[in-house]
Amino acid sequence: MTALRVAALAIAACIAAMSPARAQDATTLKKDMVGQWELSTTERSKTCVVTLKGDAAGHGFKLELEPACRTALPFTKDIVAWSVKGLDIVRLQDATGEAVIDFTEVEAGIFEGLRQGEGVYILQDLAAARSMAKSMDQMIGDWAMVRGNGQPVCGLTLTNTEAGPDNFQVFLKPKCDPAIAQFNPTQWRLERGQIILMSKAGETWQFEADDNAQWRRVPDTADPLIMLRQ
């Protein structure tokens, strides 16, 4: 699983990971699933809210889909109930009990499901998903790269323009340090609490938030590279 499969996905994974791990038995899973969830594409370009209930309904349990679901994710028009199959499969099902989509837990509180011919979808706790969206929004905009001594070496802009699965476009500003200009990142994403910059050649630079509310390239060096929000 790539990181922003939670839509992409990184901050939400960190938040969800703070929750106790679920015991993998059907009874516990049924209890833990009751509540509000976000159903989305991997990069979260299309989302809808699903409320799973504990009341019996035909071949499973009741659920509610927000009205916008049918437009955002057309396959949801067939979903009328949910159930747990086996030990760890969360099924969103049609009126006959057949699967519209099956999900399995890939990280604490994050479930992944595949629809043939369409792709992968994510089901995750609604509060965690919204926290991720807020964190992503805070990343969008202009940044400065500086050395450890505070000397500016480059400016760049992180955007929310999709650039392939889980990734978004990034643009360097003119007059960057030669090493950064040579790296020339064109895409970025959030992954497990890190800002990942990626070049066309597939090279990656990772930045982690430090105690001073700035992002330092890792692994750290004697001459660190730091990203500062502008």
Side-chain angles (χ1 to χ4, degrees):
M1 171 181 171
T2 61
L4 256 181
R5 276 185 184 173
V6 197
L9 359 290
I11 293 298
C14 292
I15 294 168
M18 296 177 186
S19 305
R22 289 191 175 90
Q24 287 301 307
D25 65 84
T27 300
T28 301
L29 186 56
K30 286 176 185 176
K31 180 180 177 181
D32 289 346
M33 292 304 298
V34 173
Q36 288 191 303
W37 297 79
E38 180 188 83
L39 174 60
S40 71
T41 52
T42 55
E43 73 283 357
R44 297 187 73 252
S45 62
K46 298 178 180 179
T47 68
C48 84
V49 176
V50 183
T51 302
L52 304 183
K53 301 184 176 183
D55 306 318
H59 298 280
F61 301 95
K62 292 181 180 179
L63 59 72
E64 289 183 358
L65 296 164
E66 67 176 356
C69 286
R70 292 191 175 202
T71 300
L73 302 169
F75 70 85
T76 60
K77 71 182 188 307
D78 297 322
I79 297 172
V80 300
W82 72 281
S83 62
V84 172
K85 299 298 180 183
L87 294 178
D88 59 358
I89 295 174
V90 176
R91 173 169 292 179
L92 301 185
Q93 59 194 45
D94 62 20
T96 67
E98 292 299 312
V100 177
I101 184 169
D102 282 339
F103 289 93
T104 54
E105 194 170 29
V106 292
E107 293 188 38
I110 300 177
F111 294 78
E112 185 177 287
L114 174 67
R115 277 182 57 83
Q116 293 294 335
E118 294 184 26
V120 173
Y121 294 88
I122 302 297
L123 186 69
Q124 63 179 311
D125 176 80
L126 180 62
R130 288 180 172 172
S131 294
M132 182 194 74
K134 181 179 179 181
S135 298
M136 283 288 295
D137 289 344
Q138 292 171 347
M139 299 294 107
I140 304 303
D142 292 329
W143 293 73
M145 280 191 184
V146 302
R147 294 295 182 186
N149 60 7
Q151 177 187 0
V153 291
C154 192
L156 66 160
T157 301
L158 303 184
T159 78
N160 59 358
T161 303
E162 294 176 20
D166 310 324
N167 300 328
F168 304 89
Q169 290 183 354
V170 57
F171 297 99
L172 292 186
K173 295 185 178 181
K175 300 180 180 179
C176 284
D177 178 273
I180 300 170
Q182 182 176 5
F183 171 51
N184 190 25
T186 59
Q187 299 182 34
W188 76 282
R189 68 172 178 263
L190 279 175
E191 181 175 313
R192 301 183 186 276
Q194 294 183 337
I195 294 176
I196 311 294
L197 299 181
M198 293 156 283
S199 71
K200 285 185 178 179
E203 184 182 359
T204 61
W205 286 5
Q206 294 84 30
F207 293 80
E208 287 185 352
D210 65 15
D211 295 335
N212 298 313
Q214 56 192 18
W215 295 73
R216 299 172 68 92
R217 188 181 174 194
V218 292
D220 210 353
T221 65
D223 185 20
L225 189 61
I226 299 168
M227 288 181 60
L228 300 175
R229 190 73 166 87
Q230 298 297 288

